[in-house]
Amino acid sequence: EAPEVPENACVAPKLDAAPDFSAAITEEAWGKPVATISKDTANAVLHNYEGTAEDVSADVYFRWDNEFLYVGMVSADGDIAGSDKSWVGDGFQIRFVAGSEMAYEGFHDVYVTLNGDNATAGGSDTAIEKGAVVADGKIHIMAKVSLAAIGVNPAEGELISFNMLRITGTTEKPYAGWLSWGPFYGVGNANNPGVTDANLLALGAAPVVEEPEEPEVPEIPENAIDTGK
């Protein structure tokens, strides 16, 4: 019997095969996003830092297998900007903690930001596998994160607390600001004002693949002539 998932949790479906980090995120490869966030999302806030943070939204994807958590983000952007500096440029930063309670020390930190046609990545794991694709005015940012490094067993029903920044860079200010989903810097911090509740992710089951139905063969009346066709 599958574990009960808390009502406030996003659910990450299990994958049979790792997604391709050199390709744009598609529904065929990643499924549907677990959430779409914007400044109007409950528990989110847009915050200026070095400039004016772009008013962006983002589709957020989480998937997992027996070793890794796969993170994806797709976000339309009218002024796509990258940088070779850490945490700077369009991208995301996420802090993970195993279990249902967020902590603001000892978290597992991951960031991936644009750097030209590639990505800059790091945080707690500087060897993180990452990907970045720009297509049709959207950025596709991806990361593969070790579940063991987060401290989570690779099992259905396991919970992960997290907070996320959609970092927004502009041509003028590559670290203009961010969209904070959850209190990334802690409750009451001026960098995420008014945001109080951390997010919760549950490792879910693999998607059910429905077999196509066999077409019904009409019944032939007993008095009908069989033409053999």
Side-chain angles (χ1 to χ4, degrees), residues 20 30 77 132 150:
D20 181 1
W30 285 77
D77 195 309
I150 299 173

Side-chain angles (χ1 to χ4, degrees), residues 4 8-9 28 31 34 40 53 61 67-68 74 90 94 114 116 121 139 152 160-161 204 206 224-225 229:
E4 186 173 344
N8 63 328
E28 182 180 6
V34 301
D40 298 320
Y61 299 78
E67 291 186 74
F68 299 103
V74 179
D90 284 308
I94 307 178
L114 286 176
I139 60 170
V152 176
I160 303 171
S161 296
I225 298 173
K229 293 186 178 180

Side-chain angles (χ1 to χ4, degrees), residues 26-228:
T26 63
E27 185 173 336
E28 182 180 6
W30 285 77
K32 294 183 181 296
V34 301
T36 299
I37 60 172
S38 71
K39 68 179 183 182
D40 298 320
T41 300
N43 211 40
V45 65
L46 192 64
H47 183 73
N48 298 333
Y49 188 62
E50 291 182 344
T52 300
E54 295 172 278
D55 186 359
V56 292
S57 63
D59 291 333
V60 181
Y61 299 78
F62 291 110
R63 301 293 184 269
W64 67 286
D65 61 20
N66 290 334
E67 291 186 74
F68 299 103
L69 179 69
Y70 299 93
V71 185
M73 183 189 77
V74 179
S75 183
D77 195 309
D79 185 5
I80 296 173
S83 173
D84 59 359
K85 296 181 181 178
S86 300
W87 299 286
V88 178
D90 284 308
F92 65 67
Q93 184 177 3
I94 307 178
R95 291 175 174 173
F96 297 104
V97 172
S100 60
E101 295 294 330
M102 190 65 197
Y104 294 91
E105 293 181 359
F107 47 74
H108 190 77
D109 180 79
V110 173
Y111 74 86
V112 184
T113 52
L114 286 176
N115 179 7
D117 293 330
N118 300 298
T120 299
S124 301
D125 181 4
T126 55
I128 184 174
E129 184 175 335
K130 77 282 187 184
V133 176
V134 177
D136 300 323
K138 295 181 179 180
I139 60 170
H140 300 246
I141 306 289
M142 296 152 271
K144 185 171 79 172
V145 186
S146 166
L147 288 170
I150 299 173
V152 176
N153 293 322
E156 187 178 341
E158 289 290 305
L159 299 177
I160 303 171
S161 296
F162 72 96
N163 291 316
M164 176 176 183
L165 298 181
R166 190 316 199 176
I167 301 170
T168 72
T170 64
T171 306
E172 185 178 349
K173 297 289 185 180
Y175 201 20
W178 49 76
L179 174 66
S180 182
W181 183 29
F184 188 87
Y185 294 97
V187 177
N189 191 289
N191 287 321
N192 43 228
V195 182
T196 57
D197 298 321
N199 303 299
L200 192 60
L201 178 69
L203 303 186
V208 176
V209 179
E210 296 183 0
E211 295 292 334
E213 294 184 4
E214 293 289 335
E216 290 188 12
V217 179
E219 186 176 344
I220 300 174
E222 293 181 4
N223 63 339
I225 298 173
D226 187 353
T227 64

